[in-house]
Amino acid sequence: MNAPVTTGPSTGSPAADLLAQVTADPLAPLQVVIGAPGGYGKTALLHELAGVWQRAGVTVATPWQPAGAAEQVLLADDAHRYDPAKLHELLLYAGRPGARIVVAYRPWPRPAGLPELVGLLRRARPPVRLPALTAAQVRDRLAGTVADPSPELVAAVTEQTGGVPRYVARVAAALTPADAAAGRLPVAALAGFAPELDELDPGLRTLLLAAEAGAGHSFDLVSALLERDAATVADLVDAGRATGLLSADGALVPLARRAIAALGPIGHRIDVRQRLGALQLARGGPVLPLVRPLLRDGGGGLVPGAAGGGLGEVYEAAAEEVLGDDPRLAAELFAAAAGAGRGTATRRALATALAGDLDEASRLADQALATGAPRQRAEAAYVAAVVLTQRGQTAQAAALYQWSPSPTTAGFAAIALIGTGHAGDALAPGGEPISPGGAPGGAPPTLVSSAATLMARGIAESVGGTPAAALSALVQASATIEPAGPTVLLPDTPAALGATVALHCAELDTADALLTRVVHTGTGGALLADRHRLLRAWVLMLRGRVGEAYTLVPDGRPGRDRLFACALRAGLSRRASDLVGLRSGWPDACHALIGQPVDLFTLLPLGELAVAAARLGEQHRVAGHLAEADRLLDALGNPPLWSAPLHWSRLHAAVLTEDHEAAGRIARTLAGLRGFSPYTAAVAVAAGQWLDVLAGRAEPGAVVTAAHGLSALGLIGDGARLAGQAAIRTADRKAMTLLLDCARALQERAAGPGEAVPVLSNRLPQLLSDREREVAALVLDGLTYKQVAERLYLSAKTVEHHMARIRQRLGVTGRQELLTRLRTLIGPEDER
């Protein structure tokens, strides 16, 4: 008999009833059969029965001993292994009057004579069935090793062992306190499977390896693998169930699956997966589940022995399957295919780019450009161009798009050429992107080529048409490419380009809708996810929702995204009057700007950094790029959609430096554009009011009208700043009140969920005025007098005057004493 499983039967079970019957009358005749797969406790039950009879003085015999006295009991374990002659002997013995015999067997194999023996014993007494353990029974088994096993541990052991008593016993024996605390199964529990796997019939072992590979429920696939008919495979499945390694539904018990993966012969295991992969490829089935386990965890290449040349085509097919869902895994599989002799450098470059690893994608694409076949070189050129676009090298990207002509690259080449000031090279006389040469009739349109053409049309409209026409084409392009989701490598998404155009003409709702939708669909994948977040943050910044925008700003990879991220941080710090933050981020912003050539799609961050430079007295840092931007816009005929926002930013820079001459020049330029769009009309009016504010002749009603005009477009922060600065610079108390009320109303409107707006304290009603409480709360926040002045639209001298009055009212002289007193008097609800 096999080594017993050291667990007893549960109370009320058929096994417990049999033990109770024998204990009550050990001399009574008994013919019984016990049937169960391996590991369910048949041998353990026979040992317990033998102990009961031996204690009662009854001789216990086995089929391999000569027949003895009449009072003996015959115990036959593993009867499925007996030859027909021995089974016939047992049949004759069981037929004797008053015989005592217990036969235990597995449901497979069924040698001749076993069905007759089992049938005879069943007629004498219902057979004893040994079921899998329940969760409560598993807990009882574990309690012998671990005090008070957790529900999580019990659930894990029950699920992994399938309740097979032998497997539960192995886990309990190997379990350590650390394993129990973590709720994990010990690796040592797998050791007991080694001899069982070694003893398996070769055909059954192959079947189990196929099941471990995920093919266990596909009879036709397994039949082809084994080169056996369906009936033979069905017999092997029955044999697998009889071992206990397969559950009743033919699936591997999870712990057995782990054991086969860890202990099965690696050569045989890989051979099975290779042959299954070839069969799946031949019938067009998925192969990813077959080869994924052959990759090391953590992307460390293949497990030993899995780099055979026969798996190259399977690795490549698996990579194509997973490319859209997990490009990083696809890149690993393409690398495995390359190691097996397949030429996959271009596809690996594509996958690596989709995963966001631009350095590796660039290296692989360059390798394919140098050594690949013509078709591979064309695809490699596209990947390299996409990488260059992400890095802001738009002119170089255009050259690669043109080198590899196709309907798709024609569209992206047109976008890049227009973006770098070469619209004449990009557009045919009718304004459409110049199509590549090719076969008569051209290639049929695809989602990507159609979207690229629409994107190019939208950018062409942005420099030579109307904002409405440009946005219409880009919105159509975004809808066209949506079904592709994250599976397609793009230099930019239609949504990102559409949002960029929308930001330039203050169509903030359109930008927000496009970006919200693209985040939902995943178009562009991981490569463009940061770009979408940056543009969403830009929308929030223009709306004055500074705190909410901060939460969306990622670091951004080197190149275009890094420039946007640095410009956003600078813009947000400036709007929050955070001079310390603005200064600390300025070196990074300068570094990001130096490495970026100017194109249309970087004018937004350039304009924002121009204002930040003026605030810090660092205008020379951006002068060269602003001159380059002027040359670019001149080459395109100074399209108002792209030039007006840059002029608006330069106006703010001139206001900060009190450069009246520059401000006047810019305001006149904007006035010449006012008829182009609602945006240019609003900023032209506001620019005129800024001139009046700088000259000290602003008319309050006109300023309020201009501020509300900006706010109506969503530029609430710009409107609040205009009104606030006008209030600071007027000596008329009535006008100041009107302008401050306007600024505060816009500020409150701009505040997003959870963002603070100025609140007044109720804790100091007898000591400080409302304005003094506001000033005190901001000083406690660490703001300088100048920052407080900018936040509340006051002058620094006025803030200084307020603080002097606060000192007087509180009766303190030193700064530290003042701050301590204010912290005592002002509660958290007063601070921002």
Side-chain angles (χ1 to χ4, degrees), residues 263-338:
L263 305 173
I266 186 63
H268 194 181
R269 183 175 179 232
I270 292 171
D271 176 67
V272 165
R273 289 176 181 272
Q274 178 179 329
R275 288 189 286 144
L276 284 172
L279 290 167
Q280 282 287 74
L281 284 178
R283 60 192 232 169
V287 297
L288 177 64
L290 298 174
V291 298
R292 188 168 189 168
L294 301 182
L295 296 173
R296 290 184 187 273
D297 291 338
L302 298 170
V303 299
L311 278 168
E313 188 178 1
V314 181
Y315 287 135
E316 188 174 4
E320 296 290 353
E321 286 177 27
V322 78
L323 182 60
D325 297 326
D326 190 345
R328 195 171 302 279
L329 175 60
E332 291 182 44
L333 289 163
F334 280 128

Side-chain angles (χ1 to χ4, degrees), residues 21-22 25-32 53 58-59 69-75 89-103 117 120-121 124-125:
Q21 177 184 340
V22 172
D25 188 359
L27 299 179
L30 180 69
Q31 297 90 38
V32 64
W53 272 308
V58 177
T59 301
E71 64 271 16
Q72 77 172 6
V73 60
L74 184 61
L75 302 185
E89 288 180 19
L90 293 177
L91 182 67
L92 295 176
Y93 186 90
R96 295 179 184 178
R100 282 172 290 184
I101 180 172
V102 181
V103 175
L117 175 61
L120 174 65
L121 297 174
R125 188 183 191 282

Side-chain angles (χ1 to χ4, degrees), residues 29 52 68 166 213 222 224 250 320 347 374 436 504 577 596 608 653 659 679 697 725-726 745 786-787 810:
V52 172
R166 178 184 294 164
V222 176
E320 296 290 353
R347 299 302 286 170
H504 277 80
S577 301
Q596 290 298 293
E608 193 58 52
D659 187 342
Y679 170 75
R697 61 173 183 265
Q725 288 297 312
K786 187 174 182 180
Q787 291 169 335
L810 297 181

Side-chain angles (χ1 to χ4, degrees), residues 47-106:
H47 275 270
E48 292 192 56
L49 289 169
V52 172
W53 272 308
Q54 287 169 347
R55 288 190 291 273
V58 177
T59 301
V60 176
T62 71
W64 316 111
Q65 296 170 323
E71 64 271 16
Q72 77 172 6
V73 60
L74 184 61
L75 302 185
D77 197 7
D78 292 335
H80 55 281
R81 296 182 176 179
Y82 294 179
D83 59 45
K86 182 60 67 177
L87 288 169
H88 182 68
E89 288 180 19
L90 293 177
L91 182 67
L92 295 176
Y93 186 90
R96 295 179 184 178
R100 282 172 290 184
I101 180 172
V102 181
V103 175
Y105 74 103
R106 292 183 182 183

Side-chain angles (χ1 to χ4, degrees), residues 406-408 411 443-454:
S406 73
T408 298
T446 64
L447 291 177
V448 181
S449 65
S450 298
T453 300
L454 284 167

